[in-house]
Amino acid sequence: QFMLTTDSDILSPLTAKINFISAYNFNHNTNPFSLGTTVGFIDNVGQHSRLMEMARVLREGEPDVVEQSKVVSELLDKNLNIVSTSKENGFIALSEKDKTTLYCYKYFNTSEKRVHQAWFTWTFHWQIQYHFIIDDSLYLVLNTESSDETDNNGKCMLIKLDLKLHSDTLQTYTGTSTDKENIHPIYLDCATSVSIGSNTYNASTNKTTFALPDPWWTTESAGGDMAIYDNGGTDPVGRYSEITINGSNVEVTGDWSSTTVILGVLYEMEVEFPTIYLTSAQGESVRSNTRNSLVLHRSKISLGASGLYQTVLKRRGKTTWTEDYESVIADYSELDQLPTQQLQTKVVPIYDRNTNTTLTLKSKHPTPLTLYSMTWEGDSTNKFYSSV
């Protein structure tokens, strides 16, 4: 890496100076990108790519270069070639053309300190051809024609993902309701609004049948489960059902006639919590005590706005414990309220050693799942050892 500078008031071929600042490998299929006060670039030496961030780039002295993907060193593919960034939202999206996985990096800075950073992946049903960020929205171009990686001559579609929820975004999902407190964005891939006719319900079969709408891609869910969701129609808000595709028609159980619903593809959100250790703060760093004997009694998961979700507890030598949670208990909510709860804490009983336990939080439902934090309670002892 080099810096072009000049000691003169005028930059010209006679006054230009090129200073050498570092010698990190760079993936030439991508471009360096600005993160506000720092510069990021992709290093693809080895089996996996690395996200590098360069700070304090001065005319004199060496810059600070940090590998931000160190905590997920085996996550990123080697041949990443599409990068999108948003400095205002603290968001970076990485992918490889003709692949279905989007790698995302979210960060938050205060003053000169980065107080939050997180990695996650998003798997789509179709191949990613390109993506870019405009304002607070991430746009992706997907090849919906074929799952064959060598076939790029198919049809493509453009989808939009909001990085930040605005008040005007809430109104795009309203149906017929005008009460914004009872309206929430629908978490379905490729969601589209559908108006179901009045003569579509068959009482003998208890099924509603209606034609697949445009765009045509709803006829091919690429193996994903599809669902409809009532988010503000004449019936109670929050009614939801999975559907089946029968030729060019949609079949759904129950009477859905004369309603406007959201139709889309379900996707699974999953968070696997790391192994729990007793930690202590030492300056600005946190140390985990891996030698202590720790028996976990329970885990407390703090959630924001959430609907239907699931916890999966795996303990070595014991049966896997899976439990479904409905945030709003029946008879505890009004008829026209969303089936979500804004703030809640769920307790998961464990009673096993920390090294034998794996806890996973999942959701495959159109309602949101917002994770704030996870705390735990248990018995810890140093086994009467002394460290020197």
Side-chain angles (χ1 to χ4, degrees), residues 103-162:
Y103 303 95
C104 303
Y105 176 63
K106 177 69 175 177
Y107 62 93
F108 178 71
N109 295 334
T110 59
S111 184
E112 297 181 355
K113 184 178 180 181
R114 180 158 298 173
V115 296
H116 171 78
Q117 54 183 343
W119 284 92
F120 63 95
T121 61
W122 195 318
T123 302
F124 295 87
H125 295 287
W126 301 283
Q127 301 166 4
I128 299 174
Q129 302 301 305
Y130 191 71
H131 54 80
F132 55 93
I133 297 176
I134 298 179
D135 296 332
D136 294 325
S137 299
L138 171 65
Y139 297 86
L140 293 99
V141 180
L142 304 179
N143 177 15
T144 61
E145 178 72 10
S146 172
S147 60
D148 183 2
E149 296 182 4
T150 61
D151 180 10
N152 295 324
N153 298 319
K155 296 181 180 179
C156 291
M157 70 173 178
L158 177 68
I159 67 173
K160 174 185 175 182
L161 304 175
D162 291 325

Side-chain angles (χ1 to χ4, degrees), residues 278-349:
L278 183 66
T279 59
S280 60
Q282 297 184 5
E284 295 185 356
S285 62
V286 177
R287 295 294 182 91
S288 298
N289 193 331
T290 60
R291 294 176 294 179
N292 270 20
S293 175
L294 175 59
V295 177
L296 299 173
H297 290 179
R298 61 193 63 86
S299 173
K300 296 184 177 181
I301 303 176
S302 178
L303 301 173
S306 302
L308 178 65
Y309 59 94
Q310 181 183 80
T311 58
V312 180
L313 178 64
K314 296 181 180 179
R315 292 171 294 179
R316 187 179 306 168
K318 299 180 181 179
T319 304
T320 299
W321 178 261
T322 302
E323 187 169 0
D324 295 327
Y325 296 92
E326 294 183 2
S327 294
V328 179
I329 304 175
D331 298 332
Y332 277 76
S333 61
E334 299 294 335
L335 181 64
D336 59 348
Q337 287 183 342
L338 280 172
T340 60
Q341 189 172 344
Q342 296 302 315
L343 293 173
Q344 55 184 307
T345 300
K346 287 299 179 181
V347 179
V348 181

Side-chain angles (χ1 to χ4, degrees), residues 249-306:
N249 293 325
V250 174
E251 291 185 354
V252 57
T253 302
D255 184 4
W256 292 77
S257 59
S258 302
T259 59
T260 299
V261 298
I262 304 297
L263 170 68
V265 181
L266 289 168
Y267 67 91
E268 185 175 64
M269 176 266 200
E270 177 178 332
V271 176
E272 180 178 318
F273 294 101
T275 303
I276 298 173
Y277 293 99
L278 183 66
T279 59
S280 60
Q282 297 184 5
E284 295 185 356
S285 62
V286 177
R287 295 294 182 91
S288 298
N289 193 331
T290 60
R291 294 176 294 179
N292 270 20
S293 175
L294 175 59
V295 177
L296 299 173
H297 290 179
R298 61 193 63 86
S299 173
K300 296 184 177 181
I301 303 176
S302 178
L303 301 173
S306 302

